[in-house]
Amino acid sequence: MAAPVEVRSQDGSFMKMLVYDNNYFMSFFVGNIKDHLADIEQMEVRDDDTFVLTYPKSGTHWAYTLSSMLRTGETTYHGSPTFLDFTNMETINNLPSPRVLASHLTFNFMPRQIKEGKGKVVSMLRNPKDVASSMYTFAKKLDHPDYQARYQLSWEGLLELYLGGRVPSGTWFEYIQAWDRVKRDHKGNNIIHLIYEDMKQDLGSNVRDLAVFLGASCEQDFLDKVTENCTFKSMSTDSANLTPSEQWMNVTNNKILPIYRKGEVGDWKNYFTVAQNEHFDKVYKEKMKTSSFNFRFQ
Ligand code: A3P
């Protein structure tokens, strides 16, 4: 059974989450966690399903919007994805095809059929310093009393909890190590890794690669339109004109999806002190020494 926990940093910052089987989950994870994880494991995957897997604040909405436009052929912005983690199985089963679902769970929690090669997985990864500053500013933006009762964080406090893995989804490092294991062991060719920093550098060629991977139309006019509609500017403008879902309304009072902030590489420099950065670099070097993933920080 999942149990509610309150984790605290040395300076008294805190987060309320759920803990199950030594893993931290967001407090709005469905049901008692155990049963929902079992439902996900057994879920019937469709050939044209896409699962967008991300560590929080790594560009979930970006990868979802791109995948969704490519899969459906429609280039309109639709806001937030349906998360496997936060949606009951009946709703997921009733979604029309092609489904593009998101999750902050690691690949090992995914449906058995995906592991057997059915459906497609779009993984999106981002350097851990920008993830940390995005997580911090996101938590600060949540202006609903319910949420304020769940998260109270200073930057120092967030960094301490983040490095210690006492945040939803655990440590970024373990998340990457889990992908390294999948790279080594998974037999199928139904996984693509998108890297946030590469997408910022050249969105067009990443859109083409993703289109090929998803078996979508590769007509240049279509790809150009998708690229144009998935820039930070375009997505943040579109999102400001869209009323967020009820789930989001529960965490914000201003009716604007609190996702689009700066959308840059290197904004972490505005948050890390020199000492915090030196410490982080040391941890990164140690934890990533056997990883096949490499991240740029600017
Ligand atoms: P910042 O807070 O650094 O601006 P997620 O969707 O996983 O919650 O990730 C949110 C982060 O992705 C935010 O980062 C957001 O601005 C960024 N993002 C969303 N869409 C983007 C886009 N089209 N281009 C670049 N960054 C984007």
Side-chain angles (χ1 to χ4, degrees):
M1 279 296 168
V5 284
E6 183 178 302
V7 296
R8 277 190 185 266
S9 65
Q10 282 180 25
D11 74 355
S13 292
F14 69 84
M15 268 193 215
K16 291 182 182 173
M17 297 178 284
L18 292 172
V19 67
Y20 169 70
D21 203 15
N22 293 322
N23 294 309
Y24 289 112
F25 295 88
M26 291 191 198
S27 41
F28 37 92
F29 200 93
V30 176
N32 68 8
I33 300 190
K34 180 173 184 261
D35 290 348
H36 192 55
L37 288 177
D39 285 349
I40 292 174
E41 213 266 328
Q42 288 153 24
M43 125 182 210
E44 193 63 38
V45 174
R46 305 176 196 159
D47 286 325
D48 59 357
D49 277 346
T50 310
F51 294 78
V52 173
L53 304 191
T54 57
Y55 186 86
K57 312 321 295 171
S58 301
T60 321
H61 286 70
W62 199 6
Y64 160 71
T65 304
L66 284 163
S67 304
S68 185
M69 288 183 182
L70 291 170
R71 270 293 200 202
T72 61
E74 282 176 26
T75 53
T76 347
Y77 176 82
H78 288 297
S80 281
T82 299
F83 275 86
L84 272 180
D85 329 13
F86 316 133
T87 316
N88 67 56
M89 206 36 80
E90 193 187 340
T91 306
I92 291 170
N93 286 337
N94 287 332
L95 289 173
S97 293
R99 297 183 297 189
V100 181
L101 300 159
S103 178
H104 291 321
L105 293 167
T106 46
F107 186 75
N108 57 310
F109 289 112
M110 286 300 107
R112 182 178 40 77
Q113 293 183 345
I114 296 192
K115 295 178 189 158
E116 293 166 359
K118 199 169 178 191
K120 301 253 161 97
V121 173
V122 176
S123 140
M124 172 105 181
L125 304 169
R126 185 183 194 186
N127 85 69
K129 293 183 191 175
D130 278 326
V131 167
S133 52
S134 182
M135 194 180 279
Y136 171 68
T137 47
F138 174 70
K140 289 277 154 208
K141 262 198 200 171
L142 303 172
D143 59 357
H144 193 280
D146 281 0
Y147 227 85
Q148 281 164 1
R150 278 189 229 156
Y151 283 63
Q152 267 185 38
L153 297 163
S154 67
W155 165 245
E156 294 72 19
L158 179 276
L159 201 56
E160 181 189 324
L161 298 178
Y162 177 69
L163 275 171
R166 295 190 294 149
V167 292
S169 299
T171 75
W172 178 92
F173 296 104
E174 279 172 22
Y175 186 86
I176 298 294
Q177 285 157 5
W179 272 127
D180 271 314
R181 287 193 292 278
V182 174
K183 264 193 177 178
R184 195 188 57 211
D185 300 335
H186 180 62
K187 301 282 181 287
N189 54 1
N190 58 338
I191 303 175
I192 190 172
H193 292 288
L194 302 176
I195 307 292
Y196 186 101
E197 294 74 28
D198 294 348
M199 307 246 294
K200 282 298 289 185
Q201 202 167 47
D202 183 355
L203 185 54
S205 73
N206 278 276
V207 169
R208 174 165 285 277
D209 290 349
L210 185 58
V212 171
F213 172 73
L214 293 175
S217 160
C218 286
E219 217 179 289
Q220 197 55 48
D221 284 356
F222 172 61
L223 297 184
D224 288 347
K225 189 75 192 153
V226 172
T227 307
E228 192 187 315
N229 289 3
C230 287
T231 59
F232 176 79
K233 192 160 178 256
S234 178
M235 284 176 60
S236 51
T237 308
D238 287 348
S239 107
N241 297 323
L242 207 78
T243 308
S245 67
E246 205 180 313
Q247 257 167 350
W248 280 112
M249 292 294 248
N250 287 339
V251 299
T252 177
N253 280 327
N254 70 357
K255 298 191 170 70
I256 294 182
L257 192 62
I259 292 293
Y260 305 96
R261 187 183 59 99
K262 284 202 173 171
E264 287 173 4
V265 180
D267 188 50
W268 59 268
K269 290 178 191 158
N270 294 317
Y271 296 88
F272 281 74
T273 63
V274 172
Q276 287 168 342
N277 189 38
E278 281 173 6
H279 175 63
F280 201 97
D281 283 345
K282 248 190 230 160
V283 176
Y284 183 91
K285 204 171 160 199
E286 173 60 27
K287 302 260 187 205
M288 295 291 284
K289 66 181 174 214
T290 58
S291 178
S292 62
F293 293 99
N294 224 326
F295 289 88
R296 279 184 287 112
F297 292 88
Q298 46 205 336

